[in-house]
Amino acid sequence: MPEIRWERMTGPELKALAARDALAVLPIGSLEQHGPHLPVWTDSLCAHEIALRGAAAAGIPVAVLPPMWMGLSEHHLPFGGTVTLDHATFHAVLRCVVRSLLADGFRKLLIVNGHGGNIDPLAVSTRELAVEFGIPVVVTTWPNLAPKEIAAQLTTQPGIQHACEGETSLWLALDATQVRREKLAETISNPPPNPPPGMVRFWSFEERAPRTGVRGDPRAATAEKGEAILAVVTAALAAAMRDPALWSTPDDVWTPGRSQR
């Protein structure tokens, strides 16, 4: 199988991939608490692994960058172990990545996100970067790729939450040695308050997942569920990588006189 990991390739090999109009893929996660039983780099590793599996299955030229391991995670600070960016820095780093890719000859970027706190900032940043640089910059948050299929694998919750049945199952499938099984009995949070629907404000995880920082029930996790989740997400991601509708050149809306064409 052709090499797909950016960090394992040489400059000339990546230059040749760019000449073939290869898709660059940037996994993004976070460095934040995941309860008493999972390591703090959970989101980054899962996003990277899903990006690699999707790229391997896509059947097109792809180069997967190393994961961007910091995101917007200030809501996890009360539980320790969290390192976060602010939004301005987050966008600036993404902008530098896109500029570098363009200099390297790549003309399209897919961001595979694994952290809920990055969803809103990425929606804004990818829109602005696509318009500024004139290339398709597409983002997906992997649980949104196959929500019904993921829900069908879970027994205690309707979808991926945080350090939950789903994420713990992924870790049991990927690296069970990093799951502190003896801590699973301590993971259940106190019931969080339910804010009124349609309202947006800042909530820390001390407020949304009191006592443990976990949302969901990781006690129900199994490696078999993790493998099943990885399979459905990988298939959906590979299909998106091949979908030509995603990779057309963005309309140059800011070009002077654009409305006169």
Side-chain angles (χ1 to χ4, degrees):
M1 185 180 73
E3 182 59 72
I4 58 175
R5 297 179 66 137
W6 188 288
E7 73 276 14
R8 293 181 179 177
M9 287 184 266
T10 66
E13 289 167 347
L14 285 160
K15 185 176 180 180
L17 266 180
R20 296 174 60 196
D21 196 30
L23 173 64
V25 180
L26 175 64
I28 293 184
S30 61
L31 198 68
E32 66 188 29
Q33 68 85 25
H34 275 77
H37 65 297
L38 291 182
V40 296
W41 70 317
T42 290
D43 291 348
S44 301
L45 181 77
C46 289
H48 191 215
E49 182 64 25
I50 288 166
L52 289 171
R53 293 188 183 207
I60 61 172
V62 180
V64 180
L65 291 145
M68 185 169 149
W69 56 270
M70 280 194 293
L72 277 77
S73 302
E74 66 275 5
H75 47 302
H76 290 282
L77 287 168
F79 288 96
T82 297
V83 178
T84 185
L85 300 175
D86 58 30
H87 179 255
T89 306
F90 184 70
H91 179 77
V93 172
L94 289 174
R95 187 173 184 273
C96 288
V97 170
V98 173
R99 291 183 73 193
S100 298
L101 290 173
L102 282 167
D104 285 329
F106 290 87
R107 300 289 306 174
K108 51 192 178 185
L109 171 64
L110 172 63
I111 296 173
V112 179
N113 175 47
H115 170 52
N118 294 341
I119 293 174
D120 291 341
L122 280 169
V124 175
S125 287
T126 53
R127 171 176 170 163
E128 292 194 356
L129 291 169
V131 171
E132 178 180 0
F133 292 108
I135 66 169
V137 181
V138 178
V139 63
T140 186
T141 298
W142 67 259
N144 295 335
L145 285 165
K148 292 180 180 179
E149 292 83 355
I150 292 172
Q153 305 301 324
L154 303 175
T155 56
T156 65
Q157 58 193 66
I160 302 295
Q161 296 184 33
H162 182 74
C164 57
E165 178 186 357
E167 286 194 324
T168 305
S169 292
L170 288 178
W171 268 104
L172 289 171
L174 295 174
D175 188 354
T177 64
Q178 294 201 47
V179 179
R180 280 65 164 174
R181 295 173 188 258
E182 73 280 4
K183 297 290 186 179
L184 286 173
E186 307 172 18
T187 57
I188 304 304
S189 291
N190 297 330
N194 292 311
M199 299 293 131
V200 177
R201 56 152 284 183
F202 173 80
W203 300 93
S204 81
F205 256 58
E206 182 63 47
E207 299 168 293
R208 299 300 294 135
R211 195 174 66 81
T212 71
V214 174
R215 296 193 70 186
D217 189 350
R219 297 174 300 178
T222 68
E224 291 74 20
K225 291 176 183 176
E227 289 291 355
I229 291 170
L230 285 167
V232 296
V233 171
T234 294
L237 183 61
M241 290 177 174
R242 295 189 298 266
D243 188 346
L246 290 173
W247 307 113
S248 60
T249 302
D251 192 353
D252 56 345
V253 294
W254 284 101
T255 299
R258 176 66 181 83
S259 67
Q260 303 303 315
R261 291 182 185 175

